[in-house]
Amino acid sequence: MGDKKNQCSDPIYRYLDDFVGKEVTLTLYEGQVLSGELVDLTNCLIVLRETEVLSPFIAQNLTIVRAKDVMIATVQSESESESSSSSSSSSSSS
């Protein structure tokens, strides 16, 4: 599978390779916004696991997007979520 990943020259696709398993948001050229866990990158395709939350029904969808259709990719930073959880812990213990 590594060979298939290296065949894509799209810079966003190559950058996302370091974030498999993380939460990402993709903005497509058409304006559609997709969010979910980055599951896989293969043959210039980006695979997201989207969670739909409609109480009481919850469905997970796998969404496959062509790398060339992505205008913006946003990756949730772990350092920001860690610092906000540690600051809330320290403020609650005061």
Side-chain angles (χ1 to χ4, degrees):
M1 185 162 34
D3 293 337
K4 292 179 182 178
K5 289 182 182 182
N6 292 330
Q7 292 175 357
C8 189
S9 62
D10 184 84
I12 288 178
Y13 179 90
R14 288 182 172 271
Y15 187 79
L16 285 175
D17 191 38
D18 292 333
F19 298 101
V20 173
K22 306 291 184 195
E23 290 293 316
V24 299
T25 301
L26 304 177
T27 304
L28 307 184
Y29 282 105
E30 296 83 18
Q32 185 177 3
V33 177
L34 305 170
S35 293
E37 177 188 353
L38 181 59
V39 177
D40 195 15
L41 298 163
T42 305
N43 289 329
C44 287
L45 298 175
I46 301 169
V47 182
L48 290 180
R49 178 178 293 121
E50 292 184 289
T51 302
E52 183 179 334
V53 181
L54 296 173
S55 182
F57 179 75
I58 298 174
Q60 287 189 345
N61 298 313
L62 281 182
T63 302
I64 302 167
V65 180
R66 292 183 300 190
K68 69 178 186 176
D69 293 335
V70 177
M71 180 173 61
I72 300 169
T74 305
V75 180
Q76 183 174 349
S77 172
E78 288 183 24
S79 61
E80 287 179 16
S81 57
E82 287 174 1
S83 64
S84 65
S85 64
S86 64
S87 65
S88 62
S89 300
S90 61
S91 63
S92 62
S93 62
S94 314

